[in-house]
Amino acid sequence: MLDRFTEKLIESAVSSYMPRLQEMSAGRLDELARIKAKVRSEPSEVEEWFDREMAKARDMDINGVLKKIK
């Protein structure tokens, strides 16, 4: 019973944030495509990008991520 309630609660939350999540996903895909195009032509820029992304992952604030979704 609790599992079903939790499932419904999560489904509700995800459905209300779905448009923003899709927008974030599309933006990320665009960014990755741009970086992929630069792998051979501008390797130092790609390396800097990876360094920034790794720093973001290392310093990730979960509460900040949730606020961005809202």
Side-chain angles (χ1 to χ4, degrees):
M1 183 195 245
L2 183 60
D3 290 339
R4 184 72 179 141
F5 173 75
T6 304
E7 183 180 328
K8 284 292 186 184
L9 185 64
I10 291 171
E11 285 177 6
S12 175
V14 168
S15 68
S16 64
Y17 291 111
M18 190 58 72
R20 178 69 178 127
L21 291 171
Q22 288 173 334
E23 180 182 312
M24 290 170 68
S25 177
R28 185 67 171 169
L29 286 171
D30 290 343
E31 179 183 25
L32 292 172
R34 285 193 311 274
I35 291 300
K36 182 179 179 183
K38 294 180 180 185
V39 167
R40 290 197 175 110
S41 63
E42 301 175 51
S44 62
E45 189 174 326
V46 174
E47 187 174 348
E48 290 171 9
W49 178 85
F50 270 106
D51 289 341
R52 287 191 306 272
E53 291 302 305
M54 290 176 2
K56 283 184 204 175
R58 189 173 31 254
D59 303 331
M60 185 177 292
D61 173 24
I62 299 301
N63 290 327
V65 171
L66 293 175
K67 287 178 184 176
K68 286 181 183 179
I69 291 173
K70 294 177 184 179

